[in-house]
Amino acid sequence: MDRRQALRTIDATLKAAGFVYTGPGACEYEGPIAVHGKPVQVLLKVPDVLFATKPIINLKDRSQIPAETLAHVEEITGICYASGAGLPLDIYKPGEAILRVIDEVRRTLELSYAGRGKQELIDEYQQYWKPTLSVRCFLPKKEVGRKRKASLFVASKGGEPKFVGLSEAKELTGFEVGAITPARVLPVQGNLHPAASITIPHQLAQLRTWYEGQAGIIDGPWAEIYNFLLDGGTCFLAASNAFLGFRISVPAHIAAAVKKGSIRKTSLPSIVERMASSVAVERLSGRWSSLPDIVARNNPSDKNLSSWKVAIVGCGTIGSHLARLLVQTGAGCENELSLFDPEILTEGNIGRHLLGLDSVGDFKSEATAKELKRFHPQVKINAYVDSALDRVDLLRKHDLVIDATGEWNVQSNLNNMFLNNALTDTKALLHSWVFMNGASVQSFLNLRDEFACFRCLKPVFDGPWRFPAGDERDELNLQPASCGDGSFIPFTVDASTTAASLAARAALDWANGAPGARLRTVVVDYNRGRVQKPRSPSFSPSCPACSPFRSRE
């Protein structure tokens, strides 16, 4: 349907619903929406007939709905009738689409009339705070205690301000920190909400009334907070529904008089109090930005990797992408994530590596660690430019060791170390590799139990894999060394990222105590790959690695 036809359809639909065209735009109307049987006049504008931008609907007269029920009414975007998940509309049926929009607006207003308006305002209170600054909080939400002291600062890179931060420390890895002022974070039991008819405070007098109306603040008397604000501090309130901040500026002439000594500092509270109706309040909005909060957001019900010490062996085509995924699922959050790789990144690597051209010439482990620190400054990470096989003293201290090299000799050696308890603290060994020219990828989890070890998957050195993910008769597409690069097997980056994702999922399942299928396969190229169902293979009696241990059991 072209734009003209869509406009005609919308016009006919709206007119049939009692709307009239008002202009001046091509699709601007006025009409009634029945809210519990009572007509409420609204202004409707359709900026995009394909609905990529949602229609805007405003109340024509806000007095038609009691002020206390005006949740979801915004100054610019109109009535907020669509949730964060959006409102799916059929672009091929514009008439039905616009009627669905009107129905959602009706439902939203009826909820307000039914008494939900006030509660929904509380639920979305942070959106109504109208802050002048958004602040990134690097204090973990779960650690915020009573009277938590912190610092507010401007974080810059190369002299360019990037954001305003809130942290217990007066530094942040990777950033220059300046304009540091004291801050305090108070926990609030329950929700923050309007108080004494004050939705948001604009002046100091309103702030006091609003603050003292918050019953959930159990340890922060106004007198104490007031003096803190007078000293240039910023106060934040952390509640279940909102994370809000506020501060005030002492009038310049009063501050100058205190500095000169013509006004005693002890007199400042009473002097400013008398001016409370004219002292402006600056409102701030806090955003939970600590690594623990970022990790927990997408996986609130399950355990993540933050409780475990994790090591990745190999920071190449799989390991670099895997390292990023593991950080996003908790590795390096509370315990350290360690990276092992002795190789240098070359131009030939970056076609399927996490890193780019600016890291060429750097050690892969160190450059990957630097990139993860750039991703989030709070990540706890170690980078070693040694072979992991030469640093068993370090490797054995990790709960989960992940081999991402895809190299048979490394895979076999790690498997042997794990079976012989050389990795003394290691509870799980996870392998990830690309099979046969990128046809498929596989992951294998070894828990040193009744199931197979890695070598059980290919017990005869010159023999076949027990569960191949491709045709082993295909000739390995090994490219010879040239132009400073070593020999390599070409395959596209989707194989690398798929292998990393498969390993990350296996690691999460293990962390949640439900390791599931130990051998997992994903086909990348369906012309060459072979589907293998997830399984936990039994050990092979002919396995040279684990059969001696099995025979003694």
Side-chain angles (χ1 to χ4, degrees):
M1 180 177 294
D2 63 22
R3 184 174 184 275
R4 290 183 180 180
Q5 180 59 42
L7 286 170
R8 286 194 292 268
T9 301
I10 291 171
D11 180 75
T13 302
L14 287 173
K15 287 179 177 176
F19 281 72
V20 295
Y21 173 75
T22 59
C27 205
E28 296 185 21
Y29 295 81
E30 176 186 330
I33 293 181
V35 180
H36 291 307
K38 177 183 177 181
V40 173
Q41 290 296 119
V42 299
L43 303 175
L44 183 150
K45 178 180 180 180
V46 182
D48 176 14
V49 296
L50 294 179
F51 303 109
T53 300
K54 69 178 184 180
I56 300 170
I57 300 184
N58 285 288
L59 292 170
K60 183 180 180 182
D61 180 1
R62 289 196 175 196
S63 66
Q64 289 185 293
I65 293 181
E68 62 270 16
T69 70
L70 284 179
H72 297 289
V73 178
E74 302 171 354
E75 292 182 353
I76 299 175
T77 57
I79 298 171
C80 182
Y81 57 85
S83 69
L87 179 66
L89 300 171
D90 189 345
I91 65 174
Y92 300 104
K93 297 179 179 179
E96 293 181 14
I98 202 65
L99 287 177
R100 183 176 183 190
V101 168
I102 291 172
D103 189 57
E104 285 297 312
V105 172
R106 177 196 56 76
R107 186 190 63 82
T108 298
L109 294 177
E110 286 187 341
L111 283 173
S112 292
Y113 265 128
R116 276 291 302 170
K118 185 175 181 180
Q119 183 56 50
E120 292 191 9
L121 186 149
I122 292 172
D123 292 343
E124 301 180 4
Y125 195 48
Q126 186 135 349
Q127 305 302 320
Y128 291 87
W129 191 242
K130 296 183 174 62
T132 57
L133 276 178
S134 181
V135 177
R136 299 180 187 177
C137 179
F138 294 95
L139 293 168
K141 184 189 300 185
K142 66 179 182 181
E143 294 181 14
V144 170
R146 297 183 179 182
K147 300 183 181 180
R148 185 68 177 261
K149 293 182 178 179
S151 295
L152 199 67
F153 55 82
V154 175
S156 304
K157 276 197 173 183
E160 181 184 353
K162 294 294 184 180
F163 57 85
V164 177
L166 177 67
S167 176
E168 196 168 37
K170 296 181 180 180
E171 58 184 10
L172 193 64
T173 302
F175 295 90
E176 304 105 39
V177 171
I180 302 172
T181 57
R184 187 172 292 180
V185 182
L186 299 179
V188 177
Q189 292 184 350
N191 293 326
L192 291 167
H193 52 78
S197 299
I198 300 172
T199 301
I200 57 174
H202 295 274
Q203 297 87 29
L204 178 60
Q206 291 181 332
L207 177 63
R208 176 175 181 171
T209 302
W210 176 87
Y211 184 90
E212 291 180 335
Q214 306 300 322
I217 304 174
I218 59 175
D219 192 7
W222 170 252
E224 180 181 314
I225 297 303
Y226 178 44
N227 284 316
F228 182 67
L229 296 175
L230 289 175
D231 285 338
T234 303
C235 183
F236 287 87
L237 302 179
S240 56
N241 67 324
F243 184 18
L244 309 177
F246 49 85
R247 60 188 178 186
I248 63 173
S249 295
V250 175
H253 68 285
I254 300 295
V258 171
K259 189 174 183 180
K260 289 179 181 179
S262 55
I263 293 179
R264 288 179 298 176
K265 190 173 182 180
T266 54
S267 302
L268 185 61
S270 59
I271 292 173
V272 175
E273 180 70 24
R274 290 194 293 269
M275 309 169 60
S277 295
S278 60
V279 175
V281 171
E282 182 181 10
R283 294 179 302 278
L284 300 88
S285 176
R287 303 295 182 192
W288 296 108
S289 304
S290 75
L291 187 57
D293 291 318
I294 288 171
V295 167
R297 184 180 187 275
N298 293 332
N299 194 33
S301 59
D302 293 339
K303 295 178 181 178
N304 54 50
L305 294 172
S306 60
S307 300
W308 307 101
K309 295 179 181 178
V310 181
I312 299 178
V313 180
C315 297
T317 183
I318 298 174
S320 62
H321 296 286
L322 177 58
R324 171 66 177 265
L325 293 177
L326 293 186
V327 166
Q328 291 175 296
T329 48
C333 184
E334 296 176 10
N335 290 289
E336 293 179 337
L337 169 65
S338 298
L339 309 179
F340 293 84
D341 199 313
E343 294 185 352
I344 300 290
L345 188 74
T346 69
E347 289 83 355
N349 296 146
I350 63 175
R352 58 191 189 201
H353 203 279
L354 176 71
L355 302 174
L357 199 62
D358 60 342
S359 298
V360 167
D362 297 337
F363 282 102
K364 292 178 181 179
S365 57
E366 292 181 338
T368 302
K370 182 179 178 181
E371 169 61 18
L372 296 178
K373 279 285 189 182
R374 186 200 65 79
F375 165 72
H376 201 287
Q378 290 181 321
V379 65
K380 299 175 182 177
I381 193 162
N382 299 313
Y384 300 103
V385 297
D386 309 290
S387 166
L389 302 181
D390 296 331
R391 296 306 308 268
V392 180
D393 59 321
L394 298 173
L395 195 62
R396 68 187 180 192
K397 296 178 181 179
H398 295 83
D399 301 297
L400 172 64
V401 173
I402 305 178
D403 158 49
T405 63
E407 296 180 11
W408 174 262
N409 290 342
V410 176
Q411 293 167 321
S412 297
N413 272 277
L414 288 173
N415 183 69
N416 188 62
M417 289 178 184
F418 188 56
L419 293 175
N420 284 280
N421 291 310
L423 304 178
T424 51
D425 295 341
T426 303
K427 301 170 180 61
L429 175 63
L430 177 62
H431 301 271
S432 176
W433 66 95
V434 176
F435 197 92
M436 295 298 297
N437 302 322
S440 303
V441 298
Q442 291 185 302
S443 72
F444 176 72
L445 180 66
N446 186 352
L447 299 181
R448 208 162 39 210
D449 53 13
E450 72 272 20
F451 296 112
C453 75
F454 174 77
R455 187 59 194 269
C456 288
L457 304 181
K458 195 177 191 302
V460 179
F461 182 76
D462 294 326
W465 290 86
R466 289 172 65 191
F467 309 101
D471 191 341
E472 295 179 84
R473 294 172 299 180
D474 287 349
E475 183 178 352
L476 201 61
N477 188 20
L478 182 66
Q479 300 296 303
S482 63
C483 301
D485 279 322
S487 57
F488 72 102
I489 300 172
F491 51 81
T492 50
V493 69
D494 55 327
S496 303
T497 55
T498 303
S501 296
L502 189 65
R505 183 69 258 172
L508 276 172
D509 288 345
W510 169 79
N512 278 277
R518 307 302 172 80
L519 178 66
R520 305 179 183 191
T521 303
V522 173
V523 174
V524 178
D525 183 343
Y526 282 91
N527 291 317
R528 298 185 294 114
R530 180 183 298 179
V531 175
Q532 290 284 359
K533 67 178 182 180
R535 68 183 76 217
S536 295
S538 60
F539 72 90
S540 170
S542 58
C543 173
C546 72
S547 57
F549 299 97
R550 313 279 184 183
S551 63
R552 293 198 294 266
E553 294 177 354

